[in-house]
Amino acid sequence: MQPARKITSLDNFWNLKKEDVLKELSCAENGLTSPEAAIRLKQFGPNTFKTSSRSSSLVLFLLQFKSPITLILIAAAVLSMTLGDFTDACIILFIILVSSMLGFWQEKGADSAVTALLKMVQIKCKLVRDGTAAETAVENVVPGDLILLSAGDVIPGDSLLIESSELFIDEAAFTGETYPVEKNTGIISADAPLSKRSNTLFMGSHVISGKAKALVIKTGKQTEFGKISGRLATKIPETDFEKGIRRFGYMLMEITLVLVIIIFAINVFLNKPVLDSFLFSLALAVGLTPQLLPAIISVNLSLGARAMATMQVIVKRLSSIENFGSMNILCSDKTGTITEGKVTLKDTLDIEGNHSAKTLRFAGLNASMQQGFTNPIDEAICLNYNAGNDGFIVQSEIPYDFIRKRLTVQVKNDTDNFAITKGALNSILDICDTAETATGELISMKDRLDSINDEYIKLSGEGYRVLGVAYKKASGEKDFTRQEEINMIFLGFITFFDPPKKNVQQTIDNLHRLGVKLKLITGDNELVANNLAKQIGMADAVILTGPQMRKMSDTALLQQAPHTDIFAEIDPNQKERIIVFLKKSGNVVGFMGDGINDAPALHAADVGVSVDTAVDVAKEAADIVLLTQDLDVLVTGIVAGRKTFANTMKYIFMATSANFGNMFSMAGASLFLPFLPLLPKQILLTNLLTDFPEMTIAADRVDAVAVDKPHHWDIKFIQRFMIVFGLLSSIYDFLTFGALLYVMKADERIFQTGWFTESVISATLIVLVVRTRLPFFKSPPGKYLTIATGLVVLFVLALPFMPFAGLLGFVQLPPMFYAWMLLIIIAYIFSAEIAKHWFYRRLQNKP
């Protein structure tokens, strides 16, 4: 077979015969071979219209210089070089380069880690390769592939239907249509609008029910979704943490801008060299700007993601980790989380509640012969139905959907032809006009409806999930249709149970201790939900049902939702409404879903959680994917998320305490000193050295108090922290100035060397105090932070004695200075400890 040609004549493929399309694509109806697919993948490119979020190494490196202040400083250094100050300019440029390399190295490692994690939860699709059914990542689908679709599958490319059975597709992204659209094979007019192309499947839509085979025509940016993706793409909403980081950056930039302008103007007014003053002001701005903040956040999040991966929690969207940690409500279905997730058939009953072999036989035929998506209910029935198919074969099928809430299979053998329907009891009763007794007598539903409902209530109250089974004679001459799902015979009940997990009560208690309230959202009726609540220790659970919700106003639901423990009898389209109103009441809400119709709720939640075994559309919508469907896994993930948040906040506190105080003090000192308190290159070196230990903060230990409840971003809290600890830092800075000027009578070089030494060491050691709310001696730092802190202190103490010290403007210090410095730093550390104790007791919870 010849390699695929560029597609030029398939713009109206919905108007072509299947044979013409196959010819144009140079492929056969039994799919492609692997070598052919590899050639086409190179020709057409990966099947994605998204620009890769993974930056190339060069771009990532250049992004380290995106700060306007850094760029201006580089330009000023180059200007200084042209004016003859070559050595200082080179030193400044070298320090900037080293600082940027550190940021690049950290972000590159984080980027690679995330890429590896995302490969673990790739969306895959079923197709025919080399003549057999196989699975491949959606990104590897190419024109000419024959795809196999069932409920929950995403459509991997614009495709032409080859075969279909009761196929309904969600095309809301294209048409805005709320309800699923039925698709059939055929030929459609060339000028038919997108919404009328009933033989075409579009990338970006997904299967609600039914099954199909389709031929992929276009992929990636050539698809309809690719063409409109720019208009459809909406920016992912910022998390509270992202908003807080942005506001924090703006706040520091405003302070920096005002300070730099004032300092530069006053230094020039005091007749200090203009270029030196300008470089000093810019270097001061660099010191005030948390340059490593993006890298620190990236590393924190990627390390958090890797830690969570070891706990079977895969993070798809890194920024969701903070929301995961601050989550205080988790909404989840009960199956597989609260219960074992292994649905077991309890019994098959007649209309009087007695065991019925006929009910089992008809339920078994329906479950074993349906061709839709695999589900636990049918698996449980098949496990107990061992009679075989009695010579029956499938004639037609009407797959399950969430509107009808039932599944019909038409079966036939040499003598009989039946349509057998099973599903939610109410939806089965709605289509029945007669009922069959244990003796085979047919009686009117009106005469037995009350007793059937009484039996249903009794079984539900015992905690069983109850489905109904009905049947009717069908014609062998034509396939059974939806319209014929009337006047059926009610045969009996199928009961199931899914017992709670052994340690689920302990797990729920663990969530409560972490400040997370679990709310169950289930399709089961109120009686089943109440029975389960009692089994898991929720004896006084507040239950709200779907029918009750439909009657409630938005205002009433806003008040009621936060106080509800279990939402029962919930339709899939009601889940999103629950999530939205829980969020409106001021909560950070997580939603755990794995079903076809869970995608809207997953998108609406602050944190969408799914499982690796979920349908594709749910996995695609989720922020976090669990490799094991277990609440215990979720608990460990929440703790990991909070540790990540806590370590990120440590850097914020460090940047707003000693560093900020030191820079503020230097700005003030420059106003009364006849020389600059530090040279620009020395300020940049200060910034580099104080940032070095903080790069290890992602691996620091986290106190239990930091993870025992949800924590939220609070800009006012940070401002108060900055004021208190920044001023405290400045007090000891000015004490250092006094010791240098009035005790040791320091000249310019000794002052700059002494002040550099004290400021770096104090800023490095104070990190050990502000990193914890506990007394610093009760919360030892992590190994890497300890090592990095020790190395910086030793380097700074040795720096004046190094051969290149003169190039940096440093000289050897008198021994007396080290005694004064030791006293000042010890006093500073203990004062900071006292201030921290007072701060968290008095100021933390102020509005």
Side-chain angles (χ1 to χ4, degrees), residues 73-84:
L73 184 58
I74 292 172
V78 173
L79 176 62
S80 177
M81 196 181 299
T82 61
L83 295 177

Side-chain angles (χ1 to χ4, degrees), residues 332-343 376-377 465 497-499 501 520-524 532 592-594 611 629-631:
S332 174
D333 189 6
K334 64 181 180 59
T335 305
T337 51
I338 300 299
T339 64
E340 292 288 351
K342 298 176 182 176
V343 178
I377 294 289
R465 183 175 183 180
F497 69 95
D498 184 9
K501 291 184 176 181
L520 298 182
I521 301 179
T522 178
D524 290 340
L532 176 66
M592 186 170 176
D594 60 0
V611 293
Q629 189 172 0
D630 193 335
L631 279 183

Side-chain angles (χ1 to χ4, degrees), residues 13-18 160-161 184-188 198-199:
F13 65 87
W14 55 90
N15 184 237
L16 300 176
K17 293 180 180 179
K18 175 181 67 176
L160 180 70
L161 267 179
N184 296 287
T185 57
I187 297 176
I188 306 298
S198 58
N199 65 346

Side-chain angles (χ1 to χ4, degrees), residues 339-601:
T339 64
E340 292 288 351
K342 298 176 182 176
V343 178
T344 303
L345 180 69
K346 168 63 176 171
D347 207 349
T348 53
L349 311 170
D350 60 24
I351 62 173
E352 295 172 351
N354 301 313
H355 176 74
S356 169
K358 185 173 182 178
T359 302
L360 175 60
R361 177 174 176 244
F362 275 59
L365 287 171
N366 176 286
S368 63
M369 304 188 77
Q370 68 95 9
Q371 302 296 310
F373 62 95
T374 304
N375 62 86
I377 294 289
D378 287 334
E379 288 177 347
I381 294 173
C382 291
L383 196 62
N384 289 268
Y385 176 66
N386 302 313
N389 292 333
D390 296 334
F392 281 100
I393 60 172
V394 178
Q395 180 172 330
S396 68
E397 178 181 343
I398 307 174
Y400 180 89
D401 64 68
F402 292 98
I403 299 173
R404 292 164 47 252
K405 296 185 178 179
R406 55 182 178 262
L407 164 70
T408 296
V409 177
Q410 182 184 8
V411 298
K412 65 179 181 179
N413 62 13
D414 294 338
T415 58
D416 294 312
N417 193 307
F418 295 114
I420 305 172
T421 304
K422 77 172 188 306
L425 185 70
N426 289 335
S427 75
I428 296 297
L429 295 178
D430 287 343
I431 60 174
C432 293
D433 63 354
T434 55
E436 183 176 310
T437 66
T439 60
E441 179 186 359
L442 299 180
I443 57 177
S444 171
M445 279 294 294
K446 293 180 181 178
D447 298 334
R448 299 306 295 263
L449 187 60
D450 288 343
S451 63
I452 288 172
N453 281 324
D454 288 343
E455 183 66 21
Y456 172 63
I457 291 171
K458 171 178 168 291
L459 293 169
S460 296
E462 293 171 357
Y464 298 117
R465 183 175 183 180
V466 183
L467 299 184
V469 180
Y471 75 101
K472 71 184 294 188
K473 289 279 187 178
S475 170
E477 298 177 359
K478 64 184 182 69
D479 291 348
F480 197 77
T481 65
R482 290 173 187 246
Q483 290 71 31
E484 294 178 274
E485 285 184 327
I486 57 173
N487 302 326
M488 299 189 79
I489 302 167
F490 182 72
L491 187 57
F493 309 92
I494 324 171
T495 58
F496 304 88
F497 69 95
D498 184 9
K501 291 184 176 181
K502 292 181 181 178
N503 300 321
V504 68
Q505 193 167 345
Q506 179 64 45
T507 304
I508 294 173
D509 290 342
N510 290 339
L511 282 171
H512 286 171
R513 276 195 289 272
L514 290 170
V516 180
K517 186 168 185 181
L518 179 68
K519 295 183 183 293
L520 298 182
I521 301 179
T522 178
D524 290 340
N525 64 55
E526 183 176 2
L527 296 170
V528 174
N530 191 48
N531 181 278
L532 176 66
K534 291 176 181 177
Q535 292 185 65
I536 61 176
M538 298 170 65
D540 300 318
V542 178
I543 300 176
L544 181 66
T545 67
Q548 291 171 338
M549 268 184 60
R550 280 191 286 272
K551 297 176 183 177
M552 295 178 74
S553 67
D554 289 349
T555 303
L557 184 58
L558 183 65
Q559 296 298 319
Q560 182 62 35
H563 304 291
T564 301
D565 299 304
I566 300 177
F567 297 88
E569 299 175 49
I570 297 299
D571 291 332
N573 56 6
Q574 290 181 308
K575 294 178 183 179
E576 183 180 11
R577 189 176 180 219
I578 294 170
I579 300 301
V580 168
F581 279 91
L582 286 172
K583 287 174 64 177
K584 283 185 177 180
S585 58
N587 299 289
V588 178
V589 183
F591 174 73
M592 186 170 176
D594 60 0
I596 298 166
N597 281 22
D598 284 336

Side-chain angles (χ1 to χ4, degrees), residues 780-802:
K783 177 177 69 174
Y784 296 113
L785 179 58
T786 303
I787 293 171
T789 300
L791 289 175
V792 169
V793 171
L794 291 175
F795 177 78
V796 171
L797 289 173
L799 185 56
F801 303 95
M802 293 182 179

Side-chain angles (χ1 to χ4, degrees), residues 281-311:
S281 301
L282 288 176
L284 202 60
V286 171
L288 285 168
T289 306
Q291 284 180 299
L292 279 185
L293 184 57
I296 294 292
I297 292 173
S298 295
V299 172
N300 255 325
L301 294 179
S302 67
L303 284 180
R306 278 188 280 186
M308 292 166 74
T310 64
M311 303 169 190

Side-chain angles (χ1 to χ4, degrees), residues 517-784:
K517 186 168 185 181
L518 179 68
K519 295 183 183 293
L520 298 182
I521 301 179
T522 178
D524 290 340
N525 64 55
E526 183 176 2
L527 296 170
V528 174
N530 191 48
N531 181 278
L532 176 66
K534 291 176 181 177
Q535 292 185 65
I536 61 176
M538 298 170 65
D540 300 318
V542 178
I543 300 176
L544 181 66
T545 67
Q548 291 171 338
M549 268 184 60
R550 280 191 286 272
K551 297 176 183 177
M552 295 178 74
S553 67
D554 289 349
T555 303
L557 184 58
L558 183 65
Q559 296 298 319
Q560 182 62 35
H563 304 291
T564 301
D565 299 304
I566 300 177
F567 297 88
E569 299 175 49
I570 297 299
D571 291 332
N573 56 6
Q574 290 181 308
K575 294 178 183 179
E576 183 180 11
R577 189 176 180 219
I578 294 170
I579 300 301
V580 168
F581 279 91
L582 286 172
K583 287 174 64 177
K584 283 185 177 180
S585 58
N587 299 289
V588 178
V589 183
F591 174 73
M592 186 170 176
D594 60 0
I596 298 166
N597 281 22
D598 284 336
L602 287 165
H603 280 300
D606 293 300
V607 185
V609 182
S610 193
V611 293
D612 197 35
T613 54
V615 296
D616 289 344
V617 67
K619 281 173 63 177
E620 191 173 46
D623 300 307
I624 290 172
V625 176
L626 306 183
L627 299 183
T628 303
Q629 189 172 0
D630 193 335
L631 279 183
D632 283 328
V633 172
L634 213 55
V635 169
T636 57
I638 290 169
V639 171
R642 291 184 183 175
K643 287 181 178 180
T644 302
F645 179 86
N647 279 336
T648 305
M649 291 305 298
K650 287 177 186 178
Y651 179 78
I652 301 293
F653 293 150
M654 295 167 189
T656 54
S657 56
N659 285 6
F660 183 82
N662 284 345
M663 297 301 162
F664 188 78
S665 301
M666 275 191 277
S670 70
L671 303 182
F672 62 82
L673 288 173
F675 49 83
L676 294 177
L678 283 182
L679 299 174
K681 56 190 174 186
Q682 294 169 343
I683 296 176
L684 294 176
L685 185 59
T686 300
N687 192 46
L688 176 64
L689 291 174
T690 53
D691 273 344
F692 181 71
E694 292 166 8
M695 289 171 54
T696 66
I697 206 68
D700 192 28
R701 291 191 182 95
V702 177
D703 301 328
V705 70
V707 298
D708 62 359
K709 64 180 180 180
H711 294 279
H712 305 281
W713 179 270
D714 186 350
I715 191 69
K716 291 184 179 179
F717 174 75
I718 294 171
Q719 287 172 341
R720 288 193 289 268
F721 192 96
M722 181 174 66
I723 292 170
V724 170
F725 289 91
L727 289 176
L728 180 66
S729 173
S730 289
I731 289 171
Y732 285 93
D733 290 339
F734 282 101
L735 285 175
T736 303
F737 295 162
L740 286 166
L741 292 173
Y742 300 110
V743 177
M744 290 180 282
K745 309 297 182 182
D747 59 19
E748 178 179 349
R749 286 299 181 92
I750 289 179
F751 182 94
Q752 290 169 343
T753 306
W755 164 230
F756 169 85
T757 303
E758 190 277 339
S759 66
V760 173
I761 292 176
S762 64
T764 303
L765 293 178
I766 208 65
V767 165
L768 307 181
V769 176
V770 300
R771 56 170 287 278
T772 175
R773 296 188 179 197
L774 302 175
F776 71 89
F777 48 84
K778 289 186 177 180
S779 176
K783 177 177 69 174
Y784 296 113

